[in-house]
Each structure stands twice: as C-alpha cells, then as structure tokens.
C-alpha cells in the first residue's frame, strides 16, 4: 500500500524547493523534527562546539539556521554572544519567548533571514550549521550559503557543519520506509533517491491520513569530498571530519558527519 501511495502522490504534486518554509510555519512536524533536543545531547553538542570552534566566553558566534534557538541559548548561558538566523518567523518567535524564560536574552539576538544571503554588518568569531540543514538546497544555492557565511566569519575562525545527508552517510543507511511515533501520533515517511540529481525526495503522511494529508521534502546529497572542495573554493580549509561528538574519525557508513573548517 505504501508504494502505491507514493506513486499516486508523485503524479499529483512534486516537492517545492522551498519546502522547509512550509514545514516550519505549519508546525505539523514539530513533534518529530522541531521539538527541543534532549538537554544532555545539547550539552554534548555545545561542549563540542566550544572545543572545536576554539572560542572563549564573549566570542561572537553565528547559528544558522538556528531553528528555535536551543543551541544559541545554551551557548549564551555560558557567556557567548550568539546571533541566530532562521527563515521561519514562528521558530524565531518561540526562540525569543524561551530566551525570556531562561534570561539568556541579553546574550542572544534572533534575526529572520535566509541562510543563502546573510547580513554583512558583523564579523563573527565562529559559526555553525547543525540539524542536517546543509543540503536543503542544490549545488548552486549550497555554494551561495558557504560564500555567505565565509563573508561574515573572521580570518582564522571556524565553521562546523553537522550533516546526516552526505553520500557516505545517507546511501548506506537509507530507509525507503519509516514509521515514527510521538505519543499517539504517527508519521509515515517514504523516501526515494534520485541518482541523476543526487537528491532524496521524502513523502510524509501524518496519522495514516488520506491521500491529501501529506507533505514532501528534498535533501540534496553531496559526498564528503565534494563538500571539502566546495569549502576550499569559499576560503576554508577542512581541519577534521568526525562521525561522533567523541571525536571519532569519519568513515563510510557512519550516521553523521561533523566537519570542522577554518576560515583562511
């Protein structure tokens, strides 16, 4: 039944290249993709960021896209000044509200904007792109993001990209069908890899809904070598590639890539 559903769906509507805006503003997928990460995991990720960005308190950091600002707020609580940029007004409203609750607002500012065209009114001591956000765009727009972030990072600063969608991760681990639960709610995910465009097209159906109750996403797939070359062309030298927050070297079949690059 799942295969027939995807076939019918693909004849009805193709995914928008700006699918992530619809996902964020609708809020339907928050229980699976936008709710706060476990606090222990956030602490580990923030520890990793501080160590590998090689920054000290009061350093100015860029979080893009920042989502609901969980990492930005955690860094602010440790004395870092963070600018979070995201295209979703709803995510930013929630991020600002949470800052008021935990009193981190004095060290964080949130700006609505597109990661492909960042404001150039400030230079940062380090930046990071978490949450598997790299790959939301095709080759040209992904290069635009790297060029934009390179322009706002100081020389000798570092950029960290965390991705589960590089080829060495995604291809050996690709699940064509997945069922996820959150309380009484379910989400069915049907994935199709388009080899000619190196893109994964995912179809999501909520709570076993009828044929109209679905959305689609696109995730472009780059090899680690391609990403390394793209970074080099935009003024970065890759210093390390890890498969975990424990600093294990990246390898084929890992579940994530964490790449650390220095701005030349």
């Amino acid at each position: 039944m799942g295969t027939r559903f995807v076939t019918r769906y693909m004849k009805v509507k193709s995914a928008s290249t700006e699918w992530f805006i619809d996902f964020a503003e609708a809020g339907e997928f928050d229980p699976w993709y936008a709710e706060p990460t476990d606090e222990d995991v956030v602490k580990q990720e923030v520890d990793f960021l501080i160590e590998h960005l090689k920054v000290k308190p009061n350093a100015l950091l860029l979080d893009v896209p920042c989502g609901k600002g969980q990492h930005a707020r955690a860094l602010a609580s440790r004395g870092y000044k963070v600018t979070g940029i995201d295209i979703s007004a709803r995510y930013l409203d929630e991020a600002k509200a949470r800052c008021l609750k935990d009193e981190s607002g004095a060290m964080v500012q949130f700006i609505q904007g597109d990661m492909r065209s960042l404001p150039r009114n400030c230079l940062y001591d380090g930046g990071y792109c978490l949450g598997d956000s790299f790959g939301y765009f095709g080759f040209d727009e992904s290069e635009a993001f790297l060029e934009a972030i390179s322009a706002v990072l100081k020389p000798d600063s570092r950029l960290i990209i965390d991705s589960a969608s590089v080829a060495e991760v995604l291809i050996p681990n690709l699940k064509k069908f997945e069922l996820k639960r959150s309380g009484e709610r379910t989400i069915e995910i049907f994935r199709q890899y388009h080899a000619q465009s190196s893109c994964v097209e995912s179809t999501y159906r909520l709570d076993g809904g009828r044929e109209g109750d679905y959305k689609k996403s696109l995730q472009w797939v780059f090899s680690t070598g391609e990403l390394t070359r793209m970074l080099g062309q935009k003024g970065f030298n890759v210093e390390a590639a890890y498969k975990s927050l424990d600093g294990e070297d990246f390898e084929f079949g890992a579940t994530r890539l964490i790449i650390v690059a220095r701005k030349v």
Side-chain angles (χ1 to χ4, degrees):
M1 184 173 74
T3 301
R4 291 199 301 272
F5 169 77
V6 174
T7 301
R8 290 199 307 270
Y9 177 87
M10 292 184 69
K11 289 180 180 178
V12 173
K13 181 181 179 182
S14 60
S16 165
T17 56
E18 304 289 303
W19 62 268
F20 42 87
I21 301 176
D22 185 31
F23 270 51
E25 296 307 317
E28 296 168 295
F29 296 93
D30 282 8
W32 295 276
Y33 296 107
E35 287 306 298
T37 306
D38 181 272
E39 289 186 6
D40 290 337
V41 174
V42 172
K43 181 182 181 305
Q44 294 172 18
E45 291 178 338
V46 167
D47 288 343
F48 183 93
L49 290 173
I50 291 171
E51 177 183 356
H52 292 277
L53 289 175
K54 302 184 185 299
V55 288
K56 296 180 179 180
N58 284 317
L60 188 58
L61 304 179
L62 178 62
D63 180 347
V64 58
C66 65
K68 296 182 180 181
Q70 196 169 10
H71 295 88
R73 290 184 291 109
L75 283 161
S77 71
R78 300 200 199 182
Y80 296 88
K81 299 175 182 177
V82 188
T83 296
I85 296 178
D86 202 283
I87 203 166
S88 168
R90 188 175 69 86
Y91 282 0
L92 294 177
D93 286 343
E94 292 194 34
K96 293 172 184 177
R98 291 175 181 180
C99 277
L100 294 177
K101 291 181 180 179
D102 58 23
E103 299 182 349
S104 59
M107 300 292 283
V108 185
Q109 67 167 335
F110 292 109
I111 300 172
Q112 186 174 13
D114 191 316
M115 60 191 286
R116 294 163 288 187
S117 180
L118 300 171
R120 297 196 179 191
N121 57 348
C122 184
L123 288 177
Y124 297 91
D125 299 303
Y128 55 93
C129 177
L130 306 182
D132 201 21
S133 301
F134 188 86
Y136 279 5
F137 317 109
F139 183 82
D140 290 343
E141 290 178 294
S142 294
E143 278 202 322
F145 162 63
L146 293 178
E147 183 172 348
I149 200 165
S150 177
V152 297
L153 291 179
K154 295 177 182 178
D156 207 38
S157 64
R158 285 163 179 81
L159 168 67
I160 292 177
I161 296 176
D162 179 17
S163 175
S165 297
V166 292
E168 295 84 353
V169 171
L170 188 141
I171 292 174
N173 295 305
L174 182 65
K175 296 179 180 179
K176 292 185 177 180
F177 173 77
E178 190 173 4
L179 177 66
K180 293 186 177 184
R181 299 184 185 278
S182 177
E184 296 182 354
R185 303 198 66 192
T186 63
I187 182 172
E188 296 171 281
I189 309 170
F190 305 84
R191 299 184 180 93
Q192 183 177 9
Y193 181 65
H194 299 289
Q196 290 185 333
S197 57
S198 296
C199 179
V200 174
E201 187 172 26
S202 299
T203 303
Y204 305 81
R205 183 166 59 172
L206 287 171
D207 301 322
R210 293 176 299 179
E211 192 167 325
D213 300 329
Y214 45 67
K215 290 187 183 296
K216 274 201 170 189
S217 72
L218 299 173
Q219 194 83 16
W220 276 266
V221 181
F222 302 91
S223 71
T224 304
E226 286 176 316
L227 177 52
T228 298
R229 287 189 288 275
M230 291 166 70
L231 284 162
Q233 292 169 357
K234 302 305 176 185
F236 293 96
N237 284 336
V238 172
E239 294 187 324
Y242 302 110
K243 69 175 185 179
S244 74
L245 298 171
D246 295 326
E248 300 172 283
D249 288 340
F250 181 69
E251 61 184 358
F252 183 83
T255 58
R256 73 196 295 186
L257 166 67
I258 309 172
I259 202 161
V260 182
R262 182 177 64 86
K263 171 74 180 295
V264 178

